[in-house]
Amino acid sequence: MKLITIDGPSASGKGTVSQLVAKALGWEVLDSGALYRISAYAVQRDGIALEDEQAVAAVVSHLAIQFKDGKVWVDGAAVDDILRQESTGKLASKIAAYPALRQALFERQRAFLTDAGLVADGRDMGTVIFPEAPLKIFLIADVRERANRRYKQLLDKGLDADFEAILADLQRRDEQDMNRAVAPLKPADDAVLIDSSHMGIQEVVDSILREWEKKSH
Ligand code: CDP
Ligand code: CDP
């Protein structure tokens, strides 16, 4: 089965590394965080009360979501800029604690698995969505290093950035993701742990490709 899961906390490099691993293998990518961010976007767009778990979950079932031309489209609108905002990430993390929402997204995520091969990026890819994956990676990095990566991403885009505020946001979101009752952020029992605190992107990609080589021989 051509399937690799990459889970880990925010800014550990999952998205970047998933794209590169998929490119090297000629596989597809599932950015599951985008689905939670899209849900957060739709909840705001439709003025849904945050505490209404069933209404939050129901919003997702009607959304037309497309990943095309390198952009994310929801009901015909390109929403990338909104999805990337930290306020959307925070809201996503809040509603991601709802079992009904996680259930509503379950099949949508499973549907990404085809014969073409898949790198699945998220928090519960190896533990809940694809427990059968032959290779599960848990990617971590020191929290200050992760905050620094986000800080640099903002500066590179010419935006204002406050390192301490980014650090506080990351810590709060990690804590929320690790401590929720349903599908918390944690390594699968059979996950391979990679600490990228002192590793370059290509080094991480190469070590995952080596792990895959080992599995496929
Ligand atoms: O998807 P996730 O939130 O885990 O992280 P990301 O957005 O892919 O990566 C955050 C930033 O860290 C990006 O700017 C990467 O270029 C950088 N980075 C990395 O991904 N891996 C390293 N080993 C070093 C830096
Ligand atoms: O890019 P970053 O790592 O900061 O976040 P993301 O992967 O876009 O995910 C945003 C939020 O969605 C996370 O903080 C999680 O609460 C939630 N999420 C989740 O619960 N399960 C997943 N498989 C992916 C994301």
Side-chain angles (χ1 to χ4, degrees):
M1 182 190 301
K2 293 171 10 180
L3 174 60
I4 300 175
T5 59
I6 305 184
D7 291 304
S10 184
S12 55
K14 303 179 301 298
T16 308
V17 163
S18 294
Q19 292 291 343
L20 291 169
V21 168
K23 197 169 170 202
L25 295 168
W27 297 2
E28 305 291 329
V29 174
L30 163 60
D31 173 3
S32 63
L35 295 175
Y36 287 91
R37 287 172 183 264
I38 287 167
S39 306
Y41 155 79
V43 161
Q44 281 190 311
R45 182 195 67 181
D46 296 355
I48 306 285
L50 262 191
E51 56 281 0
D52 188 344
E53 176 172 348
Q54 296 309 324
V56 167
V59 137
V60 172
S61 43
H62 304 296
L63 293 177
I65 302 171
Q66 285 177 296
F67 297 89
K68 68 165 201 260
D69 308 329
K71 285 191 178 156
V72 185
W73 304 80
V74 178
D75 294 337
V79 294
D80 294 76
D81 289 347
I82 303 173
L83 295 193
R84 266 195 291 270
Q85 290 167 9
E86 180 52 25
S87 56
T88 307
K90 257 189 212 171
L91 183 55
S93 174
K94 196 168 275 177
I95 61 176
Y98 287 155
L101 175 62
R102 305 200 73 85
Q103 191 54 42
L105 288 173
F106 184 83
E107 285 304 332
R108 278 203 194 238
Q109 294 175 89
R110 289 286 308 179
F112 277 79
L113 182 57
T114 68
D115 293 341
L118 183 70
V119 180
D121 151 15
R123 302 292 187 291
D124 64 340
M125 297 295 99
T127 49
V128 177
I129 307 296
F130 300 112
E132 76 273 42
L135 177 59
K136 300 173 185 175
I137 303 293
F138 198 76
L139 187 58
I140 57 166
D142 173 73
V143 69
R144 293 191 75 84
E145 167 60 22
R146 290 189 283 118
N148 198 34
R149 290 177 187 176
R150 279 279 181 267
Y151 178 73
K152 281 197 196 139
Q153 277 180 316
L154 291 173
L155 291 190
D156 285 349
K157 278 191 224 149
L159 298 171
D160 268 349
D162 173 348
F163 178 82
E164 293 302 329
I166 293 171
L167 180 65
D169 275 343
L170 272 184
Q171 282 168 322
R172 210 171 308 123
R173 194 136 67 83
D174 285 354
E175 198 160 317
Q176 204 159 281
D177 290 346
M178 288 187 296
N179 292 316
R180 65 181 175 222
V182 179
L185 169 64
K186 65 165 190 203
D189 291 339
D190 51 348
V192 176
L193 190 79
I194 298 180
D195 182 344
S196 75
S197 302
H198 306 289
M199 287 169 85
I201 294 167
Q202 196 55 46
E203 229 179 309
V204 177
V205 170
D206 288 344
S207 68
I208 295 174
L209 291 173
R210 270 197 307 276
E211 291 292 339
W212 180 251
E213 277 286 298
K214 280 197 249 165
K215 294 279 176 193
S216 45
H217 282 118

